[in-house]
Amino acid sequence: MEIAGLEIAKWVIAQVPHAETIWIACGRGNNGGDGMEAAIHLHGWGKNVKVSLLPGESQLAAESSKARDKLARAGISIQAEPPAFWDVCVDALLGIGLRCAPLDPYGRWIELMNHHHSPTLAVDTPSGLNADTGSTPGKWVRANATLTLLGLKPGLFTGQGRDACGDIWLNNLGINSTRESFASLNPPSELPFRQHSSHKGSFGDVGILGGAQGMEGAAVLAARAALHAGAGRVYLACLHGSELQALSIPKDIMRRQPEALAPMGLTLVAGCGGGEEISRFLPNWIRQAERLVLDADALNAIAREPDLAQMLPHRPPETTVLTPHPLEAARLLGCNTADVQADRIQAAQRLADVFQCTVILKGSGSIIAAPGKRPRVNPTGNALLAIGGTGDVLAGLTGTLLGQHRSAWDAASHACYLHGALADRWPTGKALTASRLLDSM
């Protein structure tokens, strides 16, 4: 705790070097103790430190009680309420032990932080955020920056975590832990290098099956994404094709009737704008497709029809990717969206285990899960992707990478990272659309 307090104090000075009055909001647990230790150093460096801590010595954690005694010896008074003014707030209220909604007065203190014009810096985890899941059962701190200690926590990168944390900093306090996490960050990726001695057959054939009436654009987006990602050949089979001429399909994309797509040797991306019509094609493709990406209405059909759901676990390993958003995941799991969002990592892993497929659970901090593997939290992407069609782009991109004979796990991981990175590179102030996103590939 003493080491943590010193590192927190140094970090606060680095973040806001000109701040004079520093409010340190402390809880009764170890997070609060870290904050009190930081207060001692900041006070010693000439800062006007205001420490808030609820009365109740018997409820303090043991190490935090020692830190409180050190505060008294340093001449720093403790108040039961926040100060009237501060230049920066250090949130050391709740930390990683959160299991339920913060109660008052902590809830009221959190509101003060969020509505004050000065920055808030969170210690380890913003108060109100579950560090394991990224869920927020009640009020939560919207920090400008977070210094997480010892190791990264999965909840900082998924669900509400990315909105709560601001800039994330890590300090391992000089301790190299050998403890293995139950999740990891999805590593950086690039599109694969293409050997000079290759041909169009080297880069996979991708078929897109979807595009029911009124939703043809979804299938076209997926096909264009597959093309831009480097597929050797792309076939588009729309379930309703009478208006396709108006959709400006690139001449590089070959048109086919759905019945004419051959399962062998093809990676099929099924479901983008598929409507209910997609159902009649799925049994054959689930049985025969060498590689398969199931998105959107294909997932809804599987959720509706138990026979389809029972077929998926019998597919060969590492050949199938499911790409649900939270509502589609909830339908597949027989729960509601709130249940999925309450623990996104667990929900993705449940889907992977039930269907014996690789899963991309889309959303803030997309989760990649597969049977027998440690889930990955994707660190790229932002709210610009919250627009119709970007999921179709991801499906097409995933299909291309899977078709280039990658495992389902690798294809999903690479596609997720690349898809988010495109949005992260998008120019500030310029509106993003799915078509513009794939044009930037």
Side-chain angles (χ1 to χ4, degrees):
M1 188 173 286
E2 290 179 349
I3 297 170
L6 175 59
E7 295 302 319
I8 292 165
K10 291 192 294 186
W11 176 69
V12 170
I13 293 296
Q15 293 290 311
V16 283
H18 303 298
E20 291 299 326
T21 300
I22 301 175
W23 172 32
I24 302 184
C26 296
R28 296 189 177 111
N30 290 332
N31 198 243
D34 292 341
M36 287 186 272
E37 289 283 355
I40 295 168
H41 293 287
L42 293 167
H43 174 75
W45 299 338
K47 298 297 183 181
N48 180 22
V49 177
K50 305 290 186 181
V51 177
S52 296
L53 175 67
L54 293 181
E57 179 71 28
S58 63
Q59 297 177 330
L60 282 177
E63 292 300 315
S64 297
S65 182
K66 294 178 184 178
R68 179 189 173 110
D69 294 341
K70 290 172 67 175
L71 276 179
R73 292 195 296 270
I76 303 172
S77 62
I78 296 177
Q79 305 299 320
E81 289 293 331
F85 170 82
W86 61 90
D87 295 316
V88 62
C89 172
V90 177
D91 165 28
L93 282 177
L94 298 175
I96 63 174
L98 178 83
R99 291 295 178 269
C100 60
L103 302 176
D104 284 338
Y106 288 164
R108 179 165 50 83
W109 292 11
I110 288 171
E111 287 188 334
L112 282 174
M113 295 178 202
N114 289 341
H115 291 96
H116 201 272
H117 59 83
S118 299
T120 297
L121 306 178
V123 174
D124 211 12
T125 303
S127 293
L129 176 73
N130 186 306
D132 290 335
T133 67
S135 63
T136 50
K139 295 174 182 176
W140 48 283
V141 167
R142 298 175 184 269
N144 297 84
T146 298
L147 178 66
T148 191
L149 304 173
L150 297 177
L152 297 172
K153 287 80 177 174
L156 307 185
F157 297 92
T158 193
Q160 296 287 2
R162 300 182 71 193
D163 288 318
C165 292
D167 295 330
I168 298 173
W169 299 73
L170 169 67
N171 191 315
N172 68 2
L173 306 182
I175 298 172
N176 293 318
S177 175
T178 58
R179 179 182 176 186
E180 187 170 323
S181 174
F182 62 86
S184 61
L185 284 177
N186 192 25
S189 177
E190 296 180 354
L191 286 175
F193 175 75
R194 299 169 79 96
Q195 298 284 348
H196 290 292
S197 180
S198 57
H199 52 84
K200 61 188 177 185
S202 305
F203 303 109
D205 293 346
V206 177
I208 309 297
L209 178 63
Q213 186 169 12
M215 298 183 286
E216 298 90 346
V220 174
L221 284 171
R224 291 181 60 202
L227 185 68
H228 283 239
R233 287 171 289 222
V234 179
Y235 302 93
L236 173 61
C238 270
L239 302 174
H240 180 79
S242 61
E243 300 174 10
L244 284 180
Q245 290 301 117
L247 294 175
S248 301
I249 301 172
K251 293 180 174 58
D252 320 65
I253 295 172
M254 292 172 276
R255 297 274 303 280
R256 292 290 187 273
Q257 292 299 316
E259 294 82 2
L261 286 177
M264 302 309 295
L266 189 71
T267 299
L268 183 76
V269 178
C272 300
E276 294 188 2
E277 298 173 51
I278 196 76
S279 297
R280 65 188 178 95
F281 294 96
L282 288 179
N284 183 51
W285 280 99
I286 293 175
R287 278 193 298 266
Q288 298 189 44
E290 287 192 14
R291 293 166 295 275
L292 188 60
V293 178
L294 296 172
D295 184 47
D297 288 318
L299 299 174
N300 292 331
I302 291 165
R304 288 193 310 268
E305 302 180 28
D307 289 347
L308 292 177
Q310 292 169 10
M311 294 172 65
L312 280 176
H314 298 291
R315 284 187 50 76
E318 293 284 10
T319 63
T320 312
V321 181
L322 313 183
T323 60
H325 57 53
L327 178 56
E328 291 160 350
R331 290 169 180 154
L332 289 166
L333 291 171
C335 61
N336 58 51
T337 306
D339 295 329
V340 171
Q341 294 294 78
D343 194 337
R344 289 170 49 78
I345 295 173
Q346 183 189 62
Q349 191 61 55
R350 282 179 59 203
L351 284 170
D353 292 340
V354 167
F355 296 106
Q356 291 295 292
C357 300
T358 296
V359 172
I360 300 173
L361 176 57
K362 296 180 287 193
S364 175
S366 294
I367 309 297
I368 306 104
K373 295 187 181 293
R374 182 169 59 183
R376 288 174 170 173
V377 183
N378 189 57
T380 62
N382 56 62
L384 290 173
L385 292 171
I387 187 170
T390 57
D392 304 312
V393 174
L394 176 61
L397 173 57
T398 305
T400 291
L401 296 179
L402 182 61
Q404 292 169 353
H405 305 290
R406 298 190 181 211
S407 67
W409 174 253
D410 285 342
S413 297
H414 288 289
C416 219
Y417 189 94
L418 292 168
H419 183 256
L422 292 174
D424 289 341
R425 293 196 293 264
W426 197 254
T428 302
K430 184 179 180 181
L432 177 66
T433 66
S435 295
R436 287 178 174 177
L437 181 72
L438 66 85
D439 285 340
S440 69
M441 291 172 62

